[in-house]
């Protein structure tokens, strides 16, 4: 999955983030990579994390909230 975060958060590979689906289910996942480009307008960076196993609560294309 991809998510954006403010540049000041400075997440690193291996850091845990919590995702929450629309039904309230949540799961902790690890950051696997980050972009090297900072968006100059929003001062954000794109990060990536892998869901080890997809479930009905987190199907592909679902919008989730991310807490870091």
């Amino acid at each position: 999955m991809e998510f954006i975060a403010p540049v000041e958060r400075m997440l690193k590979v291996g850091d845990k983030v919590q995702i929450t689906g629309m039904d309230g289910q949540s799961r902790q996942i690890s950051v696997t990579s980050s972009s090297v480009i900072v968006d100059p307008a929003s001062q954000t960076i794109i990060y990536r994390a892998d869901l080890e196993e997809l479930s009905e609560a987190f199907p592909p294309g679902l919008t989730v909230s991310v807490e870091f």
Side-chain angles (χ1 to χ4, degrees):
M1 68 170 284
E2 290 186 344
F3 63 95
I4 58 173
V7 70
E8 63 265 9
R9 281 296 297 148
M10 296 174 50
L11 295 171
K12 296 178 182 76
V13 170
D15 285 353
K16 298 283 188 187
V17 295
Q18 182 168 319
I19 61 169
T20 304
M22 298 171 74
D23 64 354
Q25 278 195 45
S26 62
R27 180 184 297 174
Q28 282 202 342
I29 57 175
S30 297
V31 174
T32 57
S33 66
S34 66
S35 173
V36 294
I37 300 170
V38 175
D39 182 295
S42 64
Q43 292 295 296
T44 56
I45 296 176
I46 296 174
Y47 291 92
R48 289 179 183 81
D50 287 331
L51 289 171
E52 291 184 13
E53 59 183 66
L54 295 176
S55 68
E56 291 182 17
F58 300 101
L62 178 70
T63 299
V64 298
S65 63
V66 180
E67 295 178 49
F68 34 85

